């Protein structure tokens, strides 16, 4: 009688999405040979969109203060930006909330993966593009917890304490004067969830790229720096 050889169990998406929060190495090792990420990306988009719609009313103070701050900076450079035009822009921004969230979370993880793959190649990563794309998608899931905690904070914080979107982050940005655009752009990225995502990127690069952990986390650190560029550019433009 021939003994049957047990077949290796295929990775479960839901198991991966749970374990990515506390056992990322196991997730990436399971997914190394089957680095599918399309369904995980869809789940990420749907969950974040659902949370955005559910918390829309609660998050209104953050939206208002950010919109007011950005419009004030724009009006200082463009005197023709009248209150009427600002009101029209605010109404338009509200209409584009859903496509904006969907578009952002469909594109951002993939862009993150592409840039991170290039950084990895510079540091002699052996990972394929699809593998790093998968790492980037899974690394974004802490944003789900961040969204929930942000909404919970708004239920207890006085509205007067909300001076920018960083006011509900778990990091240095909440202690920085929003008028200091450059400092906020830099220290605003020193927060629990951005660092968590950076850590997951480092773990993923070590597993997928078959790299020493030290070099993998150098790659993740460089990705953190690259991620600061848009905020720094915006800060420079705002003066």
């Amino acid at each position: 009688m021939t003994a049957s050889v047990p077949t290796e169990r295929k990775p479960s998406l839901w198991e991966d999405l749970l374990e990515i929060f506390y056992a990322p190495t196991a997730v990436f090792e399971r997914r190394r040979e089957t680095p599918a990420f399309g369904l995980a990306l869809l789940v990420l988009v749907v969950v974040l969109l659902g949370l955005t719609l559910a918390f829309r009313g609660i998050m209104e103070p953050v939206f208002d203060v950010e919109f007011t701050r950005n419009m004030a900076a724009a009006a200082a450079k463009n005197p023709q930006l009248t209150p009427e035009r600002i009101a029209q822009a605010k109404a338009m921004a509200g209409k584009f909330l859903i496509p904006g969230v969907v578009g952002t979370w469909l594109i951002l993880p993939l862009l993150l993966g592409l840039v991170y793959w290039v950084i990895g190649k510079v540091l002699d990563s052996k990972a394929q593009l699809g593998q790093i794309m998968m790492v980037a998608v899974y690394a974004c899931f802490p944003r789900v917890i961040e969204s929930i905690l942000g909404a919970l904070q708004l239920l207890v914080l006085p509205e007067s304490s909300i001076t920018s979107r960083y006011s509900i982050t778990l990091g240095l940005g909440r202690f920085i004067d929003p008028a200091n655009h450059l400092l906020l752009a830099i220290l605003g990225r020193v927060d629990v969830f951005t660092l968590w995502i950076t850590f997951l990127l480092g773990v993923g690069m070590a597993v997928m790229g078959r790299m020493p952990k030290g070099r993998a986390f150098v790659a993740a650190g460089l990705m953190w720096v690259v991620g600061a560029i848009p905020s720094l550019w915006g800060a420079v433009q705002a003066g």
Side-chain angles (χ1 to χ4, degrees):
M1 182 175 179
T2 304
S4 60
V5 178
T7 57
E8 186 177 350
R9 182 173 61 87
K10 291 184 178 180
S12 164
L13 173 65
W14 307 112
E15 184 180 8
D16 289 344
L17 295 184
L18 178 63
E19 290 189 10
I20 195 62
F21 295 107
Y22 65 89
T25 300
V27 173
F28 294 137
E29 286 178 346
R30 281 199 304 266
R31 285 287 174 181
R32 183 156 51 194
E33 303 305 325
T34 56
F37 59 85
L39 189 54
L41 178 60
L42 179 61
V43 171
L44 178 68
V45 172
V46 170
V47 171
L48 287 175
L49 176 61
L51 291 175
T52 299
L53 295 177
F55 298 146
R56 186 172 186 175
I58 300 173
M59 298 295 291
E60 194 72 25
V62 176
F63 173 78
D64 286 343
V65 73
E66 280 293 311
F67 185 86
T68 300
R69 187 162 66 96
N70 291 332
M71 286 298 101
K77 295 182 177 181
N78 182 10
Q80 296 181 346
L81 196 60
T82 63
E84 291 75 17
R85 290 187 177 181
I86 292 175
Q88 292 173 358
K90 186 175 182 180
M92 186 66 67
K95 292 179 181 179
F96 280 91
L97 175 66
I98 293 177
V101 172
V102 172
T104 295
W105 289 108
L106 274 177
I107 296 172
L108 187 61
L110 302 181
L111 181 60
L112 172 64
L114 178 60
V115 175
Y116 195 42
W117 176 74
V118 173
I119 291 174
K121 285 301 178 185
V122 172
L123 295 174
D124 201 27
S125 165
K126 304 299 189 296
Q128 298 177 357
L129 178 59
Q131 291 176 315
I132 297 301
M133 288 286 196
M134 186 277 296
V135 168
V137 170
Y138 277 78
C140 288
F141 272 89
R143 294 299 183 196
V144 173
I145 298 178
E146 182 183 32
S147 297
I148 296 171
L149 290 181
L152 291 176
Q153 288 184 74
L154 287 168
L155 291 175
V156 297
L157 289 174
E159 190 168 330
S160 59
S161 67
I162 309 302
T163 57
S164 75
R165 64 184 178 89
Y166 295 99
S167 298
I168 56 171
T169 60
L170 300 182
L172 299 181
R174 70 188 301 155
F175 306 110
I176 306 300
D177 183 354
N180 195 330
H181 302 289
L182 191 59
L183 187 61
L184 192 61
I186 298 172
L187 295 185
R189 288 182 58 76
V190 184
D191 75 90
V192 169
F193 291 97
T194 301
L195 295 177
W196 189 355
I197 290 171
T198 304
F199 171 76
L200 292 177
L201 291 174
V203 173
M205 183 62 79
V207 174
M208 297 297 179
R210 294 177 170 83
M211 298 168 62
K213 287 186 178 180
R215 196 188 309 163
F217 280 99
V218 168
L222 290 174
M223 192 67 237
W224 183 91
V225 173
V226 170
I229 292 176
S231 296
L232 288 172
W233 177 253
V236 171
Q237 293 293 103

